[in-house]
Every structure is written in structure tokens, then in C-alpha cells.
Amino acid sequence: MAGGRPPAQFPGKRIFKEPAGMEGKTPQPGTVGGPAASKREVRRMIRERIGGLDAASREAMSCSICRRVAALAQEKNFRRIAVFAARPGEVDLLPLLDMLPDREWYFPLVHEERTLSFHRVRHHGEFVTGCWDIREPGPGCPELHAGEMDLIVLPGAAFTRDGKRLGYGGGFYDTLLAGPAAGVPLAGVCFPCQLLDDLPMEAHDRLVDMVITPDVE
């Protein structure tokens, strides 16, 4: 691990965040005939669900999630936090730059060998347009080794309350979490329609420590 500083850990057992107002309620179905649906089928189902959300709803829910991420960072005194710039339909975490400017926010840069590096972004003007038209850190943004993060906030097609995550199939985060970021606490963020009761898992898949969804009025 670069720098020799062990990453911050959540105290006690794994922590999973119940979406406010949803305690005890059943997540949206994610199984077909009992067994977990295939990953491709789940991704298709989630795309349809997200497609049914209007822009105003996505923006409001994204802001709510940002407030909860900021509250977590303050509660646990996380200073170095890896997040991501949203692709279409994902949770928008960019408001965190203005919401909690005293923290260090790191965004991923995609490399040809399907690996990620993380670079600190201080303001919106430091972004450039990268792969798939997704914003990424510009050339002047300093890099920090993933193992030095206090928290990594992950995107995903779907999550379960007990920490299962389904990515988009690119394998970028799988490689990161199995190597450079092994042992760093993980938080998944998603809209309520992405929270399922079960997901297909493989041996290399890593659980997240908590799932953060919007507050429910």
C-alpha cells in the first residue's frame, strides 16, 4: 500500500444502510422464478426502470444521496474519498465538491488496460471529457493510490441491502477492488429502483460495506 497508511475502517461488523423511510419494506424484485436472474437480464431490467425516471426526480434523489455521503464523511471523519462522475442514468455526485469542499474528492481516470487511477478534483473546471463522454480529471489533477482512500463510493447497475453489487460488465472496479483497493471501505449508491432482493454473484465479486439511497419523504 502506497505511503504505508492503513485505510480507515468502519467499526465493528459490516454496515448496511437502510434507506430512510424504507425500513422493513421489501426491495424491488430482482429474481426470476426463485434463482437470481442473469446479470444481463438484471442490467436490462434496471435500464428500463431508470429510463422511467424523469430528470427532475433523478436530480432530487442525487442531491439527497450526496447529503447522505457528506454526512457519512463527517461522521466517520473520512478525508480522502473516491467518487465518480455519472454516466447517463447514474447518481450525480458532483454536488459533493461544493457541499463539502474541505474533503479531498478523487475521481477515476480510465486507462487502456481497463484499469482505473484516482485523481483529486477541487472544482468543476478541472474536468475534461473522457471515455464515453464521461467527465474525468484533467491532466493537472494529482493522483492518489486507491489503497490510501478512506472510502470508495461505487457506481453499479444494482445493489442489495446485504451488500451485493452488480456492475456494468466492464470489470474496471473488479480489478481495482481485488488489488490496489483491497481492504478499503466501500459504499454503493443507487436510486431506489436499483435496490433488489437478490443478485447473481461470482467468486471474485466483493460486497460493499453499505448501500446509500435517497431519503424517502
Side-chain angles (χ1 to χ4, degrees):
M1 182 180 301
R5 183 179 65 86
Q9 294 288 343
F10 291 118
K13 298 181 179 179
R14 303 180 70 87
I15 299 173
F16 304 106
K17 192 77 169 181
E18 286 283 351
M22 295 181 67
E23 293 84 351
K25 296 185 179 180
T26 304
Q28 301 202 30
T31 58
V32 175
S38 70
K39 292 185 176 183
R40 181 178 300 178
E41 184 177 354
V42 173
R43 293 185 182 109
R44 176 194 57 76
M45 177 179 64
I46 294 299
R47 283 196 301 269
E48 292 178 355
R49 290 182 177 183
I50 292 177
L53 300 174
D54 59 63
S57 295
R58 291 198 306 271
E59 180 180 1
M61 289 190 290
S62 291
C63 286
S64 176
I65 289 171
C66 284
R67 288 192 294 270
R68 303 189 83 176
V69 172
L72 174 67
Q74 292 174 313
E75 177 187 353
K76 302 297 183 183
N77 196 29
F78 292 148
R79 309 298 303 182
R80 300 170 170 179
I81 306 165
V83 289
F84 59 90
R87 55 194 283 177
E90 283 186 329
V91 175
D92 181 9
L93 297 176
L94 294 191
L96 286 166
L97 290 173
D98 301 318
M99 194 176 292
L100 209 59
D102 64 328
R103 296 308 197 262
E104 297 180 13
W105 301 104
Y106 292 86
F107 288 78
L109 185 63
V110 177
H111 300 279
E112 290 182 357
E113 59 272 26
R114 304 177 75 81
T115 59
L116 300 175
S117 60
F118 287 89
H119 302 257
R120 185 180 181 185
V121 174
R122 294 176 175 83
H123 57 81
H124 298 272
E126 292 185 324
F127 286 109
V128 299
T129 301
C131 297
W132 306 289
D133 293 327
I134 299 173
R135 284 167 289 191
E136 62 184 28
C141 297
E143 180 181 357
L144 182 69
H145 188 275
E148 290 297 298
M149 300 297 172
D150 294 321
L151 177 71
I152 297 177
V153 180
L154 295 173
F159 294 89
T160 67
R161 282 190 182 152
D162 60 354
K164 293 179 182 178
R165 171 184 175 268
L166 176 65
Y168 296 102
F172 296 100
Y173 280 94
D174 291 333
T175 301
L176 177 80
L177 301 179
V184 176
L186 307 176
V189 293
C190 68
F191 300 126
C193 66
Q194 297 172 268
L195 188 66
L196 305 182
D197 56 6
D198 198 12
L199 282 171
M201 295 284 287
E202 298 180 39
H204 64 268
D205 292 328
R206 182 178 163 191
L207 297 177
V208 299
D209 295 282
M210 68 183 336
V211 178
I212 303 174
T213 60
D215 289 304
V216 177
E217 301 295 339

